[in-house]
Amino acid sequence: MTQSHLNHEIYIVLTTEVDKKNASKLADLLLRERLIPCVTFKDIESHFWWEGNINQSKEVQLIIKCKKENVNKVCNKIAELHSYEIPEIIYFPVSANINYHHWVNSI
Protein backbone atom coordinates (compact mmCIF):
# COMPACT_ATOMS: atom_id res chain seq x y z
CA MET A 1 0.00 0.00 0.00
CA THR A 2 1.40 3.37 -0.91
CA GLN A 3 1.69 6.24 1.52
CA SER A 4 -1.22 8.06 -0.14
CA HIS A 5 -3.65 5.40 1.16
CA LEU A 6 -2.60 5.58 4.79
CA ASN A 7 -4.26 7.67 7.48
CA HIS A 8 -7.31 8.62 5.43
CA GLU A 9 -9.86 7.39 7.92
CA ILE A 10 -13.60 7.32 7.39
CA TYR A 11 -16.25 5.30 9.21
CA ILE A 12 -18.60 2.56 8.11
CA VAL A 13 -21.86 2.25 10.03
CA LEU A 14 -23.88 -0.92 9.56
CA THR A 15 -27.53 -1.36 10.36
CA THR A 16 -30.40 -3.43 9.03
CA GLU A 17 -34.00 -2.57 8.33
CA VAL A 18 -37.05 -4.72 7.86
CA ASP A 19 -37.53 -3.74 4.21
CA LYS A 20 -36.40 -1.42 1.42
CA LYS A 21 -39.06 1.18 2.26
CA ASN A 22 -37.77 1.63 5.82
CA ALA A 23 -34.15 1.48 4.65
CA SER A 24 -34.79 4.21 2.08
CA LYS A 25 -36.62 6.39 4.59
CA LEU A 26 -33.72 6.17 7.05
CA ALA A 27 -31.10 6.72 4.35
CA ASP A 28 -32.92 9.72 2.89
CA LEU A 29 -33.14 11.38 6.28
CA LEU A 30 -29.42 10.87 6.99
CA LEU A 31 -28.58 12.24 3.54
CA ARG A 32 -30.92 15.25 3.79
CA GLU A 33 -29.46 16.17 7.18
CA ARG A 34 -26.00 15.96 5.55
CA LEU A 35 -24.78 13.50 8.18
CA ILE A 36 -23.58 11.12 5.48
CA PRO A 37 -22.47 11.39 1.86
CA CYS A 38 -23.40 7.86 0.80
CA VAL A 39 -25.28 4.70 1.76
CA THR A 40 -25.66 1.42 -0.08
CA PHE A 41 -28.27 -1.28 0.40
CA LYS A 42 -27.88 -5.03 0.30
CA ASP A 43 -30.60 -7.67 0.61
CA ILE A 44 -29.63 -10.16 3.31
CA GLU A 45 -31.06 -13.02 5.36
CA SER A 46 -30.49 -12.87 9.11
CA HIS A 47 -30.67 -15.66 11.68
CA PHE A 48 -30.88 -14.50 15.29
CA TRP A 49 -32.15 -15.08 18.80
CA TRP A 50 -35.23 -13.04 19.76
CA GLU A 51 -37.50 -13.52 22.76
CA GLY A 52 -36.14 -17.01 23.48
CA ASN A 53 -36.42 -18.35 19.95
CA ILE A 54 -34.17 -18.65 16.93
CA ASN A 55 -35.65 -16.59 14.11
CA GLN A 56 -34.77 -15.80 10.55
CA SER A 57 -35.89 -13.00 8.30
CA LYS A 58 -35.11 -11.17 5.11
CA GLU A 59 -33.71 -7.73 5.79
CA VAL A 60 -32.00 -4.86 4.04
CA GLN A 61 -28.52 -4.01 5.26
CA LEU A 62 -27.48 -0.37 5.10
CA ILE A 63 -23.77 0.24 4.59
CA ILE A 64 -23.35 3.86 5.60
CA LYS A 65 -20.19 5.89 5.02
CA CYS A 66 -19.45 8.96 7.11
CA LYS A 67 -16.71 11.13 8.46
CA LYS A 68 -15.41 10.55 11.98
CA GLU A 69 -17.02 13.73 13.34
CA ASN A 70 -20.51 12.47 12.42
CA VAL A 71 -20.39 8.89 13.75
CA ASN A 72 -22.16 9.66 17.04
CA LYS A 73 -24.81 11.78 15.33
CA VAL A 74 -25.45 9.06 12.73
CA CYS A 75 -25.72 6.33 15.38
CA ASN A 76 -28.03 8.45 17.54
CA LYS A 77 -30.27 9.26 14.58
CA ILE A 78 -30.47 5.57 13.63
CA ALA A 79 -31.41 4.65 17.21
CA GLU A 80 -34.06 7.39 17.27
CA LEU A 81 -35.74 6.54 13.95
CA HIS A 82 -35.21 2.80 13.52
CA SER A 83 -38.19 0.48 13.11
CA TYR A 84 -36.69 -2.21 15.38
CA GLU A 85 -36.90 -2.23 19.17
CA ILE A 86 -33.17 -3.03 19.35
CA PRO A 87 -31.51 -1.98 16.09
CA GLU A 88 -28.15 -3.26 14.98
CA ILE A 89 -25.77 -0.32 15.01
CA ILE A 90 -22.18 -1.31 14.35
CA TYR A 91 -19.47 1.12 13.35
CA PHE A 92 -15.77 0.93 12.67
CA PRO A 93 -12.99 3.01 11.12
CA VAL A 94 -11.67 2.11 7.69
CA SER A 95 -9.01 3.54 5.43
CA ALA A 96 -10.00 5.11 2.14
CA ASN A 97 -8.09 6.41 -0.83
CA ILE A 98 -7.33 10.10 -0.62
CA ASN A 99 -9.95 11.25 -3.16
CA TYR A 100 -12.77 9.26 -1.55
CA HIS A 101 -11.66 10.46 1.89
CA HIS A 102 -11.82 14.08 0.74
CA TRP A 103 -15.26 13.53 -0.79
CA VAL A 104 -16.66 11.90 2.36
CA ASN A 105 -15.28 14.72 4.48
CA SER A 106 -16.65 17.41 2.16
CA ILE A 107 -20.27 16.60 3.06
Side-chain angles (χ1 to χ4, degrees), residues 9-60:
E9 185 177 88
I10 63 169
Y11 273 73
I12 300 292
V13 180
L14 299 177
T15 192
T16 56
E17 265 293 359
V18 67
D19 58 26
K20 188 79 167 227
K21 180 181 176 184
N22 284 334
S24 291
K25 181 179 173 183
L26 180 57
D28 287 347
L29 184 127
L30 293 170
L31 288 162
R32 275 188 265 112
E33 292 193 11
R34 299 186 68 84
L35 293 175
I36 64 170
C38 178
V39 57
T40 54
F41 300 153
K42 184 176 185 178
D43 292 326
I44 63 170
E45 182 177 315
S46 295
H47 296 245
F48 54 94
W49 279 98
W50 184 250
E51 297 180 342
N53 296 303
I54 295 175
N55 293 272
Q56 66 182 55
S57 68
K58 303 282 185 192
E59 296 180 298
V60 176

Side-chain angles (χ1 to χ4, degrees), residues 38-87:
C38 178
V39 57
T40 54
F41 300 153
K42 184 176 185 178
D43 292 326
I44 63 170
E45 182 177 315
S46 295
H47 296 245
F48 54 94
W49 279 98
W50 184 250
E51 297 180 342
N53 296 303
I54 295 175
N55 293 272
Q56 66 182 55
S57 68
K58 303 282 185 192
E59 296 180 298
V60 176
Q61 182 181 54
L62 289 82
I63 305 165
I64 302 163
K65 292 73 149 190
C66 71
K67 59 187 172 183
K68 183 177 183 177
E69 294 78 21
N70 284 353
V71 172
N72 285 333
K73 291 176 188 175
V74 169
C75 292
N76 289 337
K77 192 60 77 171
I78 292 169
E80 174 188 330
L81 300 170
H82 207 280
S83 65
Y84 290 161
E85 183 179 336
I86 303 173

